[in-house]
């Protein structure tokens, strides 16, 4: 059982788990395969030299590619005949968000997360739903945490407060 802490839609995962973005290839509500995403580009098409090679007459030989960059993953149509749609909208190039469904030919690709326990590769769960306190934690979507200016300012104030406290304790014992 994987235990998560969810605070205001931010999912905090224990250190022993690893989050891996993945593409799940789906046809007729059946998962055909899963492809973990890493730092290399993923080519999608009908050609055998594609990373995700699918036998689909509506798919071009080199139909699309997924590129890691810009703080996430970008899918780009490679000037295919039938194009790609994400969540029902035709696109040429778009950053992927977790839970996106990509339609290519007769196949649907789902952009999700896998949660892996570092102690056991056998316990793998696909995370596809919105993070919420109402649903089981193993169905929670992992959203990247963006540390903004306010968070940095709070951390700075806490560190400054700690330094002032240490200095005042030092002055009490040493004597000013």
């Amino acid at each position: 059982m994987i235990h998560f802490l969810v605070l205001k839609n931010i999912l905090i995962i224990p250190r022993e788990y690893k989050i891996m973005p993945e593409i799940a290839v789906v046809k007729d509500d059946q998962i055909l395969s899963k492809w973990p995403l890493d730092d290399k580009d993923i080519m999608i098409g009908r050609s055998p030299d594609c990373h995700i090679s699918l036998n689909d007459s509506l798919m071009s030989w080199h139909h699309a590619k997924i590129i890691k960059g810009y703080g996430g993953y970008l899918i780009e149509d490679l000037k295919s005949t039938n194009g790609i749609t994400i969540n029902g909208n035709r696109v040429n190039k778009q950053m992927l968000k977790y839970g996106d469904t990509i339609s290519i030919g007769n196949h649907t690709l789902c952009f999700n997360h896998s949660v892996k326990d570092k102690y056991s590769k056998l316990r793998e769960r696909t995370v596809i739903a919105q993070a919420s306190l109402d649903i089981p934690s193993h169905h929670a979507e992992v959203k990247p945490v963006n540390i903004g200016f306010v968070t940095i300012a709070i951390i700075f104030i806490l560190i400054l407060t700690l330094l002032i406290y240490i200095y005042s304790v030092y002055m009490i014992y040493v004597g000013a």
Side-chain angles (χ1 to χ4, degrees), residues 4 6 11 115 127-132 135-142:
F4 301 112
V6 180
L11 186 62
V115 179
V127 184
I128 57 174
Q130 179 73 22
S132 155
I135 60 175
S137 60
H138 65 278
H139 289 288
E141 176 182 330
V142 179

Side-chain angles (χ1 to χ4, degrees), residues 29-68:
D29 294 327
Q30 296 291 320
I31 295 176
L32 301 178
S33 61
K34 292 181 182 181
W35 292 86
L37 298 177
D38 51 22
D39 293 336
K40 65 181 179 191
D41 294 354
I42 302 290
M43 188 70 65
I44 304 166
R46 218 171 15 160
S47 174
D49 68 340
C50 289
H51 298 96
I52 301 176
S53 178
L54 302 168
N55 186 14
D56 188 336
S57 61
L58 295 177
M59 191 176 291
S60 298
W61 287 99
H62 293 96
H63 199 101
K65 70 178 174 180
I66 298 175
I67 306 161
K68 180 173 181 168

Side-chain angles (χ1 to χ4, degrees), residues 22 34 47 86 91 96 117 122 135 161 164 167 171 174:
E22 71 178 9
K34 292 181 182 181
S47 174
I86 298 178
V91 298
L96 292 172
D117 183 331
L122 298 175
I135 60 175
T161 305
I164 292 170
Y167 179 74
M171 294 307 288
V174 172

Side-chain angles (χ1 to χ4, degrees), residues 11-172:
L11 186 62
I12 300 170
I13 298 173
R15 192 173 301 184
E16 63 268 13
Y17 296 98
K18 184 176 182 185
I19 302 302
M20 290 293 300
E22 71 178 9
I23 292 289
V25 180
V26 179
K27 186 173 183 186
D28 300 326
D29 294 327
Q30 296 291 320
I31 295 176
L32 301 178
S33 61
K34 292 181 182 181
W35 292 86
L37 298 177
D38 51 22
D39 293 336
K40 65 181 179 191
D41 294 354
I42 302 290
M43 188 70 65
I44 304 166
R46 218 171 15 160
S47 174
D49 68 340
C50 289
H51 298 96
I52 301 176
S53 178
L54 302 168
N55 186 14
D56 188 336
S57 61
L58 295 177
M59 191 176 291
S60 298
W61 287 99
H62 293 96
H63 199 101
K65 70 178 174 180
I66 298 175
I67 306 161
K68 180 173 181 168
Y70 312 107
Y73 291 91
L74 175 85
I75 188 164
E76 179 179 7
D77 183 16
L78 299 176
K79 299 180 181 166
S80 64
T81 303
N82 295 315
I84 59 175
T85 60
I86 298 178
N87 303 325
N89 300 313
R90 186 154 180 166
V91 298
N92 290 322
K93 188 185 291 189
Q94 181 173 314
M95 290 299 292
L96 292 172
K97 297 183 301 293
Y98 292 102
D100 278 350
T101 56
I102 306 152
S103 296
I104 299 178
N106 290 316
H107 289 80
T108 300
L109 285 65
C110 299
F111 182 57
N112 300 316
H113 278 108
S114 280
V115 179
K116 294 185 180 180
D117 183 331
K118 75 176 183 179
Y119 301 111
S120 170
K121 291 185 179 181
L122 298 175
R123 290 183 290 175
E124 179 178 326
R125 301 206 171 142
T126 302
V127 184
I128 57 174
Q130 179 73 22
S132 155
L133 295 174
D134 304 321
I135 60 175
S137 60
H138 65 278
H139 289 288
E141 176 182 330
V142 179
K143 293 185 177 183
V145 177
N146 187 5
I147 298 179
F149 175 78
V150 174
T151 306
I152 293 171
I154 291 171
I155 291 170
F156 176 77
I157 291 169
L158 289 172
I159 291 172
L160 186 61
T161 305
L162 180 64
L163 289 174
I164 292 170
Y165 174 75
I166 292 170
Y167 179 74
S168 62
V169 169
Y170 173 76
M171 294 307 288
I172 290 171

